[in-house]
Amino acid sequence: MPVDFSGTWNFVRSENLEAYMLTLGIDFATRKIANMLKPQKFIKQEGDVFSIQTTSTFRNYSVKFKIGEEFDEDNKGLDNRKCRSVVTWDKDKIVCTQNGEKKNRGWSHWIEGDELYLELRCEGQTSTQVFKRA
Ligand code: VLZ
């Protein structure tokens, strides 16, 4: 059986988010707020079709995709840059490549025990977020 990311995930901790946001050109005030947030993830996985909702007291972000199928991503409320994105499996990880203005941009999700990991990448900066099953 493949991994099932479905569920509600609560924020536990993050590393290096400030540097990741800086590479995306996110302004000072937004970074200060974002660094305080404890977002929740709601993931629905039906076969190779995923929807991932990230919610917080400040902003929300949603993305829906099918593994292997390119899609247009607007990153609305994040840095608002449009990307042509695609998510693929790498063993038990889902790996997103966000093609656009920023080089080496993307993220990966994987599960360790009852924790969900998210690695966010952009131009040499990596931020890791950890969530626990609600
Ligand atoms: O999640 O890319 O689950 O799109 C900034 C957080 C980085 C601060 C968030 C603002 C990136 C929070 C979320 C507002 C929601 C992200 C992907 C993987 C799905």
Side-chain angles (χ1 to χ4, degrees):
M1 273 292 281
V3 208
D4 189 359
F5 290 87
S6 295
T8 299
W9 301 90
N10 292 331
F11 179 88
V12 178
R13 63 180 184 275
S14 76
E15 283 163 24
N16 215 38
L17 181 61
E18 175 73 3
Y20 171 79
M21 291 191 291
L22 269 171
T23 66
L24 287 175
I26 295 178
D27 67 84
F28 178 86
T30 304
R31 293 201 313 276
K32 294 304 128 188
I33 297 167
N35 276 323
M36 306 279 289
L37 298 175
K38 298 183 184 308
Q40 251 189 332
K41 294 255 179 209
F42 300 93
I43 304 182
K44 199 167 79 175
Q45 179 180 347
E46 289 168 320
D48 269 355
V49 177
F50 287 72
S51 74
I52 304 180
Q53 280 177 268
T54 309
T55 66
S56 75
T57 53
F58 177 54
R59 265 173 210 168
N60 303 321
Y61 186 70
S62 289
V63 68
K64 198 173 173 190
F65 55 85
K66 185 172 184 185
I67 298 290
E69 282 189 7
E70 280 194 6
F71 60 100
D72 291 309
E73 190 175 11
D74 60 9
N75 294 288
K76 203 168 165 58
L78 303 175
D79 67 318
N80 298 306
R81 281 191 190 83
K82 305 216 183 326
C83 293
R84 189 77 181 150
S85 303
V86 64
V87 183
T88 56
W89 284 106
D90 175 15
K91 298 185 188 132
D92 284 346
K93 293 187 182 185
I94 48 172
V95 180
C96 181
T97 304
Q98 295 171 306
N99 294 299
E101 185 190 335
K102 291 288 175 180
K103 299 296 159 215
N104 303 311
R105 180 172 183 175
W107 52 259
S108 303
H109 266 302
W110 68 95
I111 291 173
E112 292 182 20
D114 67 343
E115 289 184 331
L116 172 74
Y117 280 74
L118 169 61
E119 185 182 272
L120 296 159
R121 297 177 293 273
C122 184
E123 295 189 333
Q125 289 299 332
T126 300
S127 171
T128 305
Q129 299 191 341
V130 183
F131 301 79
K132 223 174 186 61
R133 253 190 213 286

